[in-house]
Amino acid sequence: MASDKKTRRLRKPKAKKQQVGNGGETHQQAKRREDALTTDQGVPIADNQSSLKAGPRGPSLLEDFILREKITHFDHERIPERVVHARGYGAHGFFQAYPAAKKLSKAAFLQDSDAKTPVFVRFSTVAGSKGSPDLARDVRGFAVKFYTDDGIFDLVGNNIPVFFIQDAIKFPDLIHSVKPERDRGFPQAQSAHDTFWDFVGLTPESLHMLMWAMSDRAIPRSFRMMDGFGVHTFRFIDKKGKSTFVKFHWRAMLGSQAVMWDEALKINGADPDFHRKDLWNAIENGDYPEWELSVQAFDEEQADAFDFDILDASKLIPEELVPLTPIGKMTLDRNVDEFFAETEQVAFCPSHLVPGIDFTNDPLLQGRLFSYLDTQLSRLGGPNFHQIPINAPKCPVHNFHRGGHMQMHVPKRGRVSYDPNSLPDAVKAEHPSGFTSYPEAMEGDKRRLRPESFGDHYSQARLFWKSMTEPEQRHIVNAFAFELGNCEAEHIRRRMLGHLVHVDESLAERVADALGMEGKAETIEPTVPPRDPDPSPALSMVANLPETLQGRKLAVLVADGSDPALVDALRRRGKKEGANVVVVAPKIGGAKGKGGKKIGADASLGAAPSVLFDAVVVALVGHGAESIAKEADAKDFLSDAYRHCKIIGRVEGSDPLFEAAGVPIDADEGLVKVAERKLKPFFEAAKRHRIWERETEVTSAG
Ligand code: HDE
């Protein structure tokens, strides 16, 4: 009986009830073979909607190679994320050298100022995993791949010019301490926990970098508004073989800008893709971001005269000591076509170098030269990762490497795969202009030592602190208080306070005060007593902020009754100033403006809090103003803009919202009246970005 039932179930239903494919009529069939959906083997697929079954209700058949191929490919879609810098975003562009560059280096891409060298850049955070939010407090990676005529040059830098450790052997310890704690698997993308502060507190060489990591540099406003640094000292080699030491600097043409900590926290909630979206949109809109590449160039004699070691990556060279020499400009003008194929598979290696550039003996750099090639083997599956299009040089590649996982290259037929050779199909030979290492003299005993010249851990931390403006110092204090406040172990906090005393006593006191730990600093004896360097004004972001609206985002808050003519005028003026004006209305469908005229919205209030913008205009009138003033989102929009020290334009009629949000209409020069014929004062003020004096009025939390 049972088998009878089974036969019945499998019996073909009557033709009219049978469903084939996705239901026939709605499915667009490709008209031509070239447009056809195919398997990976190129076999055209007739039905991509249903798996192959015995009867309409199954079971599925093992022979369904189309289903199995599709699912198998899907199962293997992910590759291991980068062990550090997992969260990142990339774009294509080009680099053009300035004429001055060729005097310093014979590198092919620095010789011709008319030539455009293609580049690919990937920006990243360090600690978080691939899905972590963009605005974590963290160092940002700034890695540039130059596809030069002489091969690939990777400048794999960060947005901070120094590093936590001096020797590569400490890198796994540093990273294990900052990553989620081993037993509990949290926190994600955060240095604010015991293990990180335990490690750095016991590693005083990290003090200088900690000052940078606690500063606003670690919460950039945009990748486009972020400087980059090569960190290590490199060498440039000129045509005669002369070596000049260089430190690489990328300067953002839009200026170096940051968000505030409270903004960062809120942006992570409102738009965790804030940075990647910003870069993508800017490039799509044709606002191509640019960076100038400069070097600090110096010779052996100058290097010997510095009171720090140029091989120590925890030190920078103040620009007042060695000024920047601009050598070219990079423009990013093309988004990727496929995130995975390009941004995820791009493989940077500091060991990718071209003739005209060379390494130094910086022990951190030396370790990196091994690490990156090694990590690509496990991430990308084998030694042929250079054949993936994003990694492939754009100049000829010839050698006798053979085979390996996923070998794509089919050389011309021949027998020779060794060198030297003399058979007729013999191919490429060594070339006199090929890469040669700078013949630096070497001497010394083979030992595991830190040089004494690496011993001063506090002087440059102090240099950084002294170079900051008042608001920047305030933010550093608040960041230390936040991070150490998240440490459960009291001895870890006390130890850090003990280190801060050597950076600056007032810094240590302010942090202790914020933690409620006055007088609790551990006594720490520095190995080398700190010096008291002169400040380096070039290090401050606030002091060097360009007064511009270029690349910034302005929100105009409207509701029913707002004036469409004013909104148009704001859009036009914003565009002229290089800003992106976004109209925010209670509903994405827009508002019914004055005279019944529709005002289109770019975003709804719930989805576009003011933390996503650099300045705001509140353009409310009449009953629209009265009703929006009752909404929590609207009150937060305005009170946050105020708290974050932004320039706020106020259109007459908006007062109910100001009252409801508790924002005084004339508290300071950042609150500016706006009318259709009175736009200039607002746009001029908005170029200042923030009114820092307001910060202490509003909150001590920064
Ligand atoms: Fe990295 N680093 N790093 N790093 N690093 C990696 O390589 C490493 C260091 C930097 O967008 C990894 O491909 C060691 C300093 C960037 O794909 C890995 C040491 C600086 C990126 C690695 C350092 C950097 C990485 C992980 C101490 C600034 C992302 C995945 C000796 C100058 C590149 C990968 C991208 C990535 C090792 C220290 C910058 C594991 C051992 C200093 C921008 O190889």
Side-chain angles (χ1 to χ4, degrees):
M1 287 301 283
S3 75
D4 259 351
K5 264 190 192 162
K6 203 169 165 192
T7 329
R8 247 179 282 139
R9 240 185 279 131
L10 290 178
R11 200 178 297 142
K12 208 173 160 198
K14 285 184 186 136
K16 63 175 183 185
K17 284 196 180 158
Q18 190 178 3
Q19 270 230 310
V20 182
N22 73 342
E25 305 89 288
T26 56
H27 186 51
Q28 277 252 317
Q29 290 284 348
K31 301 274 184 309
R32 299 175 311 162
R33 173 65 176 80
E34 309 89 85
D35 298 335
L37 193 66
T38 75
T39 66
D40 280 344
Q41 307 304 318
V43 177
I45 295 175
D47 183 347
N48 192 34
Q49 313 307 317
S50 307
S51 53
L52 186 67
K53 296 178 215 68
R57 298 176 61 233
S60 301
L61 298 177
L62 191 59
E63 87 172 47
D64 187 352
F65 65 93
I66 296 177
L67 169 73
R68 278 188 294 115
E69 181 197 83
K70 188 172 176 182
I71 298 283
T72 305
H73 200 280
F74 171 76
D75 291 345
H76 297 263
E77 261 176 22
R78 295 289 178 274
I79 57 173
E81 67 172 32
R82 290 164 175 83
V83 57
V84 282
H85 296 265
R87 171 92 180 157
Y89 207 64
H92 295 270
F94 59 89
F95 175 83
Q96 257 183 308
Y98 295 158
K102 62 173 181 249
K103 286 192 207 117
L104 286 166
S105 167
K106 65 178 180 185
F109 74 107
L110 297 176
Q111 302 312 300
D112 179 0
S113 48
D114 291 330
K116 287 184 177 175
T117 301
V119 297
F120 185 78
V121 178
R122 184 173 178 274
F123 302 108
S124 47
T125 51
V126 177
S129 65
K130 250 182 80 172
S132 56
D134 277 351
L135 260 296
R137 172 176 294 284
D138 200 352
V139 185
R140 297 299 185 285
F142 192 126
V144 184
K145 189 177 280 297
F146 295 80
Y147 303 86
T148 88
D149 290 346
D150 258 351
I152 299 277
F153 167 47
D154 285 342
L155 183 49
V156 198
N158 279 345
N159 76 328
I160 290 180
V162 289
F163 203 62
F164 292 103
I165 48 169
Q166 297 170 321
D167 190 309
I169 201 166
K170 299 309 299 166
F171 193 64
D173 300 302
L174 166 72
I175 298 307
H176 291 169
S177 81
V178 74
K179 285 274 184 181
E181 294 186 14
R182 172 163 86 80
D183 51 359
R184 58 211 69 186
F186 59 78
Q188 177 57 245
Q190 294 245 24
S191 50
H193 57 121
D194 280 342
T195 56
F196 175 72
W197 289 99
D198 188 24
F199 173 80
V200 292
L202 293 168
T203 311
E205 68 207 51
S206 63
L207 250 288
H208 185 198
M209 177 71 164
L210 285 173
M211 295 298 293
W212 285 79
M214 294 303 108
S215 80
D216 295 344
R217 298 268 177 170
I219 39 173
R221 156 68 181 82
S222 152
F223 294 138
R224 300 177 294 138
M225 299 164 194
M226 194 172 87
D227 293 341
F229 303 90
V231 176
H232 315 280
T233 303
F234 289 84
R235 291 175 186 277
F236 265 173
I237 310 293
D238 74 5
K239 291 192 185 80
K240 292 186 182 139
K242 184 178 152 232
S243 152
T244 308
F245 289 128
V246 286
K247 288 265 195 189
F248 291 107
H249 295 245
W250 291 107
R251 274 286 149 87
M253 301 304 271
L254 294 176
S256 186
Q257 304 179 35
V259 298
M260 292 174 72
W261 177 236
D262 183 65
E263 272 184 291
L265 295 175
K266 289 173 175 160
I267 292 171
N268 279 342
D271 186 1
D273 301 311
F274 186 69
H275 279 159
R276 52 177 63 192
K277 233 183 241 177
D278 169 273
L279 183 66
W280 171 273
N281 288 339
I283 295 176
E284 289 299 297
N285 294 339
D287 295 334
Y288 301 139
E290 293 176 326
W291 287 261
E292 187 163 69
L293 181 63
S294 294
V295 288
Q296 286 177 296
F298 55 99
D299 60 20
E300 201 103 38
E301 208 176 308
Q302 283 170 289
D304 291 343
F306 298 147
D307 56 14
F308 51 85
D309 195 323
I310 61 151
L311 301 183
D312 172 1
S314 70
K315 306 293 184 298
L316 55 80
I317 306 181
E319 282 174 45
E320 292 73 13
L321 218 56
V322 181
L324 302 190
T325 307
I327 59 167
K329 194 194 272 182
M330 173 170 79
T331 308
L332 296 184
D333 64 349
R334 184 161 64 86
N335 280 314
V336 296
D337 292 319
E338 175 81 0
F339 179 84
F340 182 87
E342 300 176 81
T343 311
E344 191 58 9
Q345 293 200 118
V346 67
F348 293 96
C349 301
S351 52
H352 292 165
L353 211 62
V354 291
I357 308 176
D358 207 345
F359 314 118
T360 58
N361 298 333
D362 173 341
L364 196 66
L365 174 60
Q366 294 285 321
R368 294 180 72 207
L369 300 182
F370 164 75
S371 172
Y372 290 65
L373 189 56
D374 181 48
T375 210
Q376 308 313 344
L377 298 180
S378 62
R379 282 199 72 237
L380 299 169
N384 291 318
F385 65 86
H386 61 281
Q387 296 179 5
I388 299 173
I390 192 67
N391 295 323
K394 297 191 194 296
C395 62
V397 174
H398 300 287
N399 55 45
F400 300 111
H401 303 164
R402 285 292 170 269
H405 194 59
M406 296 287 175
Q407 176 61 260
M408 309 284 161
H409 178 58
V410 184
K412 264 200 268 160
R413 180 177 289 189
R415 297 156 68 193
V416 172
S417 59
Y418 51 87
D419 173 54
N421 57 62
S422 66
L423 285 171
D425 61 318
V427 278
K428 306 295 162 182
E430 293 155 350
H431 196 272
S433 73
F435 185 85
T436 47
S437 293
Y438 179 72
E440 184 183 0
M442 299 285 162
E443 59 174 32
D445 302 337
K446 197 196 307 182
R447 313 231 352 230
R448 290 186 188 274
L449 271 186
R450 283 294 165 95
E452 269 177 36
S453 53
F454 282 31
D456 175 4
H457 303 318
Y458 299 105
S459 300
Q460 287 215 346
R462 182 176 293 181
L463 165 82
F464 185 74
W465 170 254
K466 286 176 71 176
S467 308
M468 296 294 103
T469 57
E470 223 295 297
E472 288 170 304
Q473 290 191 338
R474 188 161 57 234
H475 299 163
I476 293 173
V477 170
N478 291 339
F480 271 113
F482 174 86
E483 298 265 321
L484 296 177
N486 271 287
C487 292
E488 291 164 14
E490 200 208 12
H491 75 276
I492 292 177
R493 284 182 250 132
R494 293 187 53 221
R495 191 196 288 138
M496 276 316 303
L497 290 174
H499 286 301
L500 293 184
V501 169
H502 298 304
V503 178
D504 184 275
E505 274 180 28
S506 75
L507 164 65
E509 275 164 24
R510 287 168 69 179
V511 176
D513 179 43
L515 290 170
M517 290 181 64
E518 297 88 341
K520 293 271 181 65
E522 187 184 316
T523 305
I524 291 177
E525 273 310 314
T527 344
V528 176
R531 281 185 282 267
D532 198 21
D534 290 334
S536 165
L539 296 179
S540 162
M541 285 203 291
V542 166
N544 297 297
L545 183 78
E547 294 216 344
T548 177
L549 284 175
Q550 285 287 333
R552 296 206 191 136
K553 250 173 120 180
L554 309 182
V556 180
L557 180 63
V558 299
D560 287 350
S562 295
D563 182 359
L566 173 69
V567 173
D568 285 346
L570 285 163
R571 274 196 198 275
R572 279 196 306 274
R573 179 65 186 248
K575 196 167 175 201
K576 206 171 126 207
E577 298 279 357
N580 182 1
V581 174
V582 175
V583 174
V584 179
K587 294 178 185 173
I588 188 69
K592 205 186 286 170
K594 195 167 117 191
K597 208 173 158 203
K598 173 131 185 132
I599 303 176
D602 303 306
S604 68
L605 184 55
S610 63
V611 290
L612 304 182
F613 304 97
D614 296 286
V616 302
V617 177
V618 183
L620 306 171
V621 179
H623 68 282
E626 298 286 349
S627 74
I628 204 175
K630 295 186 192 118
E631 287 189 29
D633 282 345
K635 284 186 256 182
D636 287 349
F637 183 92
L638 181 55
S639 62
D640 267 356
Y642 185 64
R643 172 178 179 178
H644 301 140
C645 306
K646 288 174 183 163
I647 310 300
I648 301 170
R650 181 179 58 89
V651 171
E652 195 125 32
S654 306
D655 296 9
L657 183 58
F658 281 75
E659 268 165 42
V663 173
I665 56 171
D666 50 6
D668 56 47
E669 52 201 341
L671 287 138
V672 188
K673 264 198 207 159
V674 174
E676 196 186 335
R677 295 191 184 285
K678 208 175 163 207
L679 299 179
K680 196 172 171 198
F682 168 75
F683 280 94
E684 286 308 306
K687 290 179 184 169
R688 286 181 58 186
H689 205 197
R690 316 244 186 203
I691 303 294
W692 288 119
E693 297 75 25
R694 194 191 296 159
E695 192 182 7
T696 42
E697 299 288 319
V698 178
T699 168
S700 59

